[in-house]
Amino acid sequence: MKTRTKMASIFFTSCLLTILLLGTAVYYSFNKYSHVDFDKRVQTRAIIASKYYLEKDTNKSEAYKMIREQFFEKLHKEKEMVIQITSTQALDYYSTKYHLPENFLKQIIVSGKATHRDGDLVYSGLRYSQGAKTSVVVVSAENYFTAHHLAYLRNVLLIAIGLGTLLTLYVSIYFSTHIFDPVKEITDKVRQISTDNIHLRLDEPTNNHEIGELASTFNQLLDRLETAFEIQKNFISNASHELGTPLTVIIGEADLALRKERTSEVYQEAIHNILTQAERLDHITKSLLFLAQSGYQGDKPTREIVRTDQLLWDVKETFDRLSPKNHIVVDLNEVPEDPKRLKIMGNRQLLLVAFSNIIGNACKYSHNKPVTISIKATDSEVILVIKDQGIGIPEEEISQIFNPFFRASNTQLFEGYGIGLPLSRNVIKMHNGQIKVDSQVGVGTTFTIRFSHILAKKTISV
């Protein structure tokens, strides 16, 4: 069942039940009130009749007569009975003679008044005492007005319920159809968007907060998808170029060497060039594979408790051995006294790769000027700051440095493939870490890396 049909059914059913409940409540309340009101009318007439027939004062009797004739309309089948009760006659005698229930007469004599219903016929009786004489005045009338009014009310309610049902049905269908019009428009526009026109965006209405928020969410999703497609295109283009260059050299050297007989020195030089380009190709393909694996969250790497300061010392030791001209300085001024604030849950080898890439870039792009590494900690995080004095990154290009194969416009004189930083970023994200870059051309670049240490309440999932 479609959502609009479900909403129309729920709205129609709810409204119909509400109308029926209200109609039933009105009918029941009016029915109860009308009977009580009619009983009071009959009772009032019984009081007036007793005063009229049994009052000794003639003037008062005439006054009651005038009141009854001028202000009280005669009820349907109204009858008046004045019964003189004597001690010599049993109540069943009066009951038989006047066709009245014996219990009704007994209740009048004991309580002074009573009311009795026999279908639509209502009896109201009063006891009237004059000295030793006891009289009973009974007025009876058929409740024609209540029956007539209830029938009229019932017809009105049935008509109202019928009209209300039709109106509710119309409103349910109308609103269920039109309330989803904005959603349908969004759906139709989204269906028109493909990879060929992913730059298209949805209109964001300002007069409908929920629909506007939905359209805005779709537009943000499209922005991310467009960015991803652009990154993918650039990745494929750059990867094709990086892979194509050594392949072209390998094919060219092999073709040149096979065209004719050459000296052993020429063959050795061609094989050396082929080997160099093959090693370059091997490095690129392995880097691409490592980059792809670092972004895959399927089989998670093993983790252990590692000290971030020890990782940095290991990286520095490696660079000191491989590149003695580097100038890496580890600043220990802000190292916390508690060593647990330096420990995180992570994969040692992956973290070594990430730190090595960032520190290696810092050394390379600063011509081995001082690269400062500082370590500090808060109650929940360990913070690593790697600062160089290199060429810096143009401000408009900082947001792209983590894209695979991207290289800043001022790095033409330096070797590289643009894979190291994306790989480092992926490894840090795998450890629920954060990386931030601040840079200024000609001044240097600062990388700030944050991890939650083992004392933090937050659980790290690698």
Side-chain angles (χ1 to χ4, degrees):
M1 181 183 292
K2 291 185 177 180
T3 303
R4 62 177 60 189
T5 305
K6 186 182 296 183
M7 287 189 62
S9 301
I10 294 174
F11 180 76
F12 174 74
T13 304
S14 301
C15 290
L16 182 59
L17 289 176
T18 302
I19 293 172
L20 290 174
L21 287 174
L22 287 176
T24 304
V26 170
Y27 184 82
Y28 174 78
S29 300
F30 183 81
N31 182 34
K32 186 175 181 180
Y33 171 77
S34 62
H35 282 95
V36 173
D37 179 67
F38 191 79
D39 291 349
K40 290 182 178 180
R41 289 188 182 188
V42 177
Q43 187 178 8
T44 301
R45 282 162 174 76
I47 294 172
I48 296 297
S50 65
K51 298 293 184 181
Y52 171 68
Y53 289 110
L54 303 174
E55 184 64 47
K56 292 182 178 180
D57 190 334
T58 307
N59 293 330
K60 289 183 178 181
S61 179
E62 290 297 326
Y64 285 123
K65 180 181 179 181
M66 182 183 67
I67 292 173
R68 188 180 67 171
E69 292 177 351
Q70 291 186 3
F71 299 101
F72 289 87
E73 65 174 312
K74 194 171 184 63
L75 300 178
H76 188 252
K77 295 184 180 180
E78 181 179 345
K79 292 182 180 180
E80 298 173 349
M81 291 173 277
V82 180
I83 305 172
Q84 298 294 331
I85 304 297
T86 62
S87 58
T88 59
Q89 295 290 341
L91 288 179
D92 58 349
Y93 167 77
Y94 300 106
S95 174
T96 304
K97 180 178 180 180
Y98 294 99
H99 305 289
L100 296 173
E102 184 177 346
N103 290 335
F104 173 58
L105 292 174
K106 184 177 181 180
Q107 188 178 0
I108 295 173
I109 295 172
V110 174
S111 303
K113 61 180 180 179
T115 300
H116 172 72
R117 288 200 190 102
D118 183 11
D120 290 335
L121 199 60
V122 178
Y123 297 86
S124 181
L126 292 173
R127 184 190 65 199
Y128 195 88
S129 300
Q130 293 176 315
K133 295 181 179 180
T134 299
S135 303
V136 172
V137 179
V138 177
V139 176
S140 65
E142 186 178 21
N143 195 354
Y144 168 79
F145 297 102
T146 298
H148 179 269
H149 291 163
L150 282 176
Y152 178 76
L153 176 62
R154 182 174 60 250
N155 294 334
V156 171
L157 288 176
L158 289 175
I159 294 173
I161 290 173
L163 293 176
T165 301
L166 294 176
L167 180 61
T168 302
L169 181 61
Y170 171 77
V171 171
S172 301
I173 296 175
Y174 178 82
F175 278 103
S176 65
T177 302
H178 290 81
I179 198 172
F180 284 98
D181 283 348
V183 178
K184 187 176 182 300
E185 291 178 5
I186 290 177
T187 304
D188 293 339
K189 289 183 179 179
V190 170
R191 286 174 178 169
Q192 297 174 7
I193 299 175
S194 64
T195 54
D196 297 328
N197 56 0
I198 199 171
H199 61 278
L200 297 179
R201 293 296 181 268
L202 305 176
D203 297 330
E204 298 181 13
T206 57
N207 58 345
N208 191 325
H209 177 70
E210 287 76 12
I211 300 300
E213 186 175 355
L214 178 62
S216 176
T217 303
F218 268 116
N219 286 337
Q220 293 173 12
L221 174 62
L222 291 171
D223 290 338
R224 294 193 295 271
L225 288 175
E226 185 176 15
T227 302
F229 277 123
E230 289 298 325
I231 293 174
Q232 184 185 43
K233 288 180 181 178
N234 292 334
F235 177 85
I236 294 173
S237 175
N238 292 325
S240 300
H241 178 268
E242 293 294 337
L243 294 172
T245 300
L247 285 173
T248 301
V249 174
I250 291 173
I251 294 172
E253 289 288 342
D255 181 65
L256 185 63
L258 293 173
R259 283 186 179 180
K260 63 179 181 179
E261 292 288 336
R262 301 183 185 278
T263 63
S264 59
E265 291 79 6
V266 174
Y267 282 125
Q268 288 180 357
E269 182 180 358
I271 293 174
H272 180 268
N273 291 336
I274 291 174
L275 178 61
T276 300
Q277 296 301 320
E279 289 175 345
R280 179 184 177 188
L281 185 62
D282 179 65
H283 182 271
I284 294 175
T285 53
K286 286 181 178 179
S287 298
L288 288 175
L289 179 61
F290 200 4
L291 177 63
Q293 290 176 338
S294 68
Y296 175 65
Q297 297 294 325
D299 297 329
K300 296 181 179 179
T302 58
R303 59 178 183 174
E304 59 183 334
I305 297 178
V306 294
R307 283 186 54 160
T308 51
D309 59 335
Q310 186 61 52
L311 290 174
L312 294 175
W313 282 114
D314 290 345
V315 173
K316 181 180 185 308
E317 182 181 348
T318 300
F319 276 99
D320 289 343
R321 185 175 65 255
L322 298 178
S323 178
K325 294 183 179 180
N326 79 80
H327 194 177
I328 300 174
V329 179
V330 180
D331 184 2
L332 303 177
N333 291 329
E334 298 184 79
V335 174
E337 296 181 0
D338 187 356
K340 291 184 178 179
R341 295 183 182 273
L342 297 174
K343 295 179 179 180
I344 65 174
M345 292 295 297
N347 183 281
R348 179 180 181 83
Q349 295 304 319
L350 289 179
L351 290 172
L352 283 174
V353 171
F355 294 159
S356 297
N357 286 334
I358 296 174
I359 295 174
N361 283 348
C363 294
K364 178 171 62 175
Y365 293 119
S366 62
H367 297 284
N368 289 323
K369 291 180 181 179
V371 175
T372 304
I373 304 173
S374 59
I375 310 171
K376 54 186 177 180
T378 66
D379 292 337
S380 60
E381 294 179 322
V382 56
I383 304 172
L384 313 177
V385 180
I386 303 170
K387 184 176 182 180
D388 65 47
Q389 302 176 24
I391 61 175
I393 305 170
E395 182 178 358
E396 65 276 6
E397 298 178 2
I398 291 179
S399 60
Q400 304 179 58
I401 62 173
F402 293 113
N403 295 338
F405 291 110
F406 177 82
R407 304 193 69 209
S409 57
N410 56 348
T411 60
Q412 294 89 345
L413 300 178
F414 300 88
E415 292 184 358
Y417 305 109
I419 299 178
L421 284 182
L423 177 59
S424 298
R425 192 270 307 271
N426 285 356
V427 171
I428 292 171
K429 286 180 65 177
M430 288 172 64
H431 291 76
N432 292 333
Q434 299 176 358
I435 183 170
K436 179 183 177 184
V437 183
D438 296 300
S439 186
Q440 186 175 351
V441 175
V443 176
T445 302
T446 301
F447 284 84
T448 304
I449 306 170
R450 298 173 179 267
F451 295 104
S452 295
H453 54 62
I454 60 174
L455 294 180
K457 294 182 179 179
K458 180 178 179 182
T459 301
I460 302 176
S461 177
V462 179

